Amino acid sequence: MAEDKRLYLIALSLLKGIGSILSRHLLQYFGEAEAVFSEKKHLLEKVPGIGKQTVAGMLETRAEALRRAEQELTFIEKNGIRLFSIMENDYPVRLRDCQDAPVVFYFKGNADLNAQRILSVVGTRNATEYGRGLTAGLLKNLAEMFPGLLIVSGLAYGIDICAHRNALKNGLPTVGVLAHGLDRIYPDLHRNVAVEMLNKGGLLSDFASSTVMARENFLQRNRLIAGLADATVVVESAEKGGALFTANIAFSYGREIYTFPGRVADKYSGGCNRLIRINKAGLITSAKDLAEALGWHTGKAAAPKEAQLPFRHEAPDHPILKLLAEKGEVQINELAVLSGKPVHQLSSMLFELELAGHVKALPGNVYALTP
């Protein structure tokens, strides 16, 4: 890819008020990123779905975005970081299928992001001995069955780092998806593992270097953990947690979710048991269960699941519920446009509303109010 094309693609990802969905929409409309930085205001305002306020934000930040993009190009070239662009054929095929896939992301390492089999393994930061044992056993047995399996997680405390360490221990490549740029490692305690992963897997992020750490970054990165893989395994989770958001995003992408059951009184099995109860995740007890469910032995694809909630509480005054009341059944992409919220954030909201019994998920990532 020519350097000037890379420059404009990076700059597009840095524009104010332009998330992944609008960025892809602009690329489809103009055919190239450079046009976004050269077209006049009245032409930009003619793009469907791009309002005057959004265009004003774009124009206000175009020069700064280009300046930062030049810095980022220098940074990635100096540090041997690869830029993946959605305009190129080598962009990971699983991620490309996601409606809010980033137009660019950064990768350092040697993993094949289009590997035959890719699995995301996530869970609570407060992993118990039970959860750590399940993770170790799962990856040991998967490595014996599928030596080329790529393991994806978030390099966080708890189940994430346990998944990375056990993947490395058993000779599996593993990729850590970061909620910040590749100019740092967080948490610092996992730096040695991250360095080892560069030789057997890699580190990946859609955030540019010098990105300020923020809570919402972790939700945004979760969509990549879900989107890169064939399926997501939640090992342990309380009834609220980032791992459940990752699972819900995977569900919105039409990907499979699996989890281990736990004792009803165990705090960090509560979220897993609930995923099973509402038919959002398949129950597994071993690597063999997972392989059979995914059809990795037989080549047969697992059937998609439809969630059905057994109860609901009193409906809150929520803008998403108001939209669904007005529109009826709405596909998540359309709901993102109507609400003005990115899909990964919307997925989290819908999941909480679903757990509370206010909405139901239908086939095709369509949502509706619970009757």
Side-chain angles (χ1 to χ4, degrees):
M1 194 189 332
E3 182 171 319
D4 58 341
K5 290 185 180 297
R6 292 194 300 163
L7 176 69
Y8 287 109
L9 283 164
I10 294 172
L12 177 60
S13 73
L14 297 171
L15 282 175
K16 178 182 178 181
I18 304 296
S20 297
I21 293 177
L22 284 183
S23 294
R24 292 182 70 170
H25 185 49
L26 287 165
L27 285 176
Q28 290 167 355
Y29 187 86
F30 289 114
E32 59 179 13
E34 184 177 359
V36 179
F37 294 86
S38 59
E39 293 291 358
K40 297 188 181 300
K41 178 181 178 182
H42 71 281
L43 293 176
L44 291 170
E45 289 177 349
K46 289 183 178 180
V47 179
I50 306 291
K52 291 185 177 182
Q53 186 175 352
T54 301
V55 170
M58 291 167 57
L59 295 174
E60 179 186 337
T61 56
R62 281 199 305 196
E64 174 62 15
L66 284 169
R67 184 190 69 79
R68 286 192 62 201
E70 289 177 349
Q71 291 180 335
E72 197 61 21
L73 267 181
T74 300
F75 172 78
I76 65 176
E77 288 170 356
K78 179 181 178 182
N79 292 282
I81 294 169
R82 182 176 178 186
L83 180 76
F84 278 84
S85 159
I86 203 161
M87 305 288 281
E88 300 297 313
N89 293 331
D90 59 356
Y91 193 93
V93 292
R94 297 169 180 85
L95 188 58
R96 188 191 295 275
D97 287 341
C98 303
Q99 59 270 26
D100 57 349
V103 294
V104 295
F105 68 84
Y106 311 95
F107 178 69
K108 187 173 178 64
N110 54 21
D112 177 6
L113 301 180
N114 281 312
Q116 182 180 3
R117 297 181 179 92
I118 304 180
L119 183 70
S120 291
V121 180
V122 296
T124 178
R125 291 169 177 256
N126 302 292
T128 68
E129 184 177 351
Y130 171 70
R132 290 191 294 270
L134 288 175
T135 306
L138 176 69
L139 294 181
K140 179 179 184 296
N141 293 330
L142 284 174
E144 293 168 354
M145 291 187 283
F146 310 107
L149 173 65
L150 174 61
I151 300 298
V152 176
S153 197
L155 203 71
Y157 292 110
I159 297 299
D160 285 22
I161 193 63
C162 186
H164 291 308
R165 284 174 174 150
N166 279 281
L168 293 169
K169 178 181 178 181
N170 291 284
L172 294 177
T174 181
V175 167
V177 183
L178 309 181
H180 47 76
L182 296 182
D183 55 333
R184 70 187 78 179
I185 294 297
Y186 175 84
D188 186 65
L189 186 63
H190 298 163
R191 179 173 298 276
N192 289 343
V193 177
V195 171
E196 190 176 351
M197 289 165 63
L198 294 178
N199 297 318
K200 187 71 174 178
L203 302 174
L204 184 154
S205 177
D206 65 332
F207 293 102
S209 60
S210 302
T211 297
V212 176
M213 294 281 287
R215 182 181 180 276
E216 57 266 24
N217 292 5
F218 291 89
L219 290 177
Q220 183 172 325
R221 72 92 187 267
N222 286 353
R223 82 195 198 285
L224 300 187
I225 296 175
L228 284 164
D230 299 301
T232 295
V233 172
V234 181
V235 178
E236 271 192 313
S237 176
E239 293 205 9
K240 288 189 177 181
L244 294 189
F245 290 142
T246 303
N248 193 56
I249 294 169
F251 185 85
S252 76
Y253 292 158
R255 307 293 167 82
E256 293 297 304
I257 309 162
Y258 297 94
T259 191
F260 291 94
R263 294 184 301 186
V264 294
D266 288 353
K267 177 180 180 180
Y268 295 108
S269 290
C272 299
N273 291 342
R274 175 169 276 185
L275 284 174
I276 295 167
R277 187 170 73 246
I278 65 174
N279 298 324
K280 208 157 204 178
L283 185 156
I284 59 171
T285 61
S286 65
K288 182 175 179 289
D289 287 350
L290 179 65
E292 289 178 352
L294 288 170
W296 283 356
H297 284 316
T298 64
K300 295 179 182 178
K305 298 180 290 296
E306 179 179 347
Q308 295 182 347
L309 291 169
F311 62 89
R312 72 168 175 169
H313 305 302
E314 184 179 351
D317 183 18
H318 196 290
I320 300 302
L321 296 181
K322 290 179 180 178
L323 279 172
L324 291 175
E326 178 185 346
K327 301 291 184 180
E329 296 180 0
V330 186
Q331 210 274 343
I332 194 168
N333 289 335
E334 182 184 354
L335 198 56
V337 173
L338 291 171
S339 65
K341 298 184 182 300
V343 171
H344 69 273
Q345 184 179 344
L346 187 59
S347 250
S348 298
M349 290 182 177
L350 286 166
F351 187 48
E352 290 186 340
L353 291 170
E354 190 178 0
L355 289 178
H358 303 309
V359 303
K360 61 180 179 179
L362 304 173
N365 297 327
V366 173
Y367 287 82
L369 293 178
T370 304

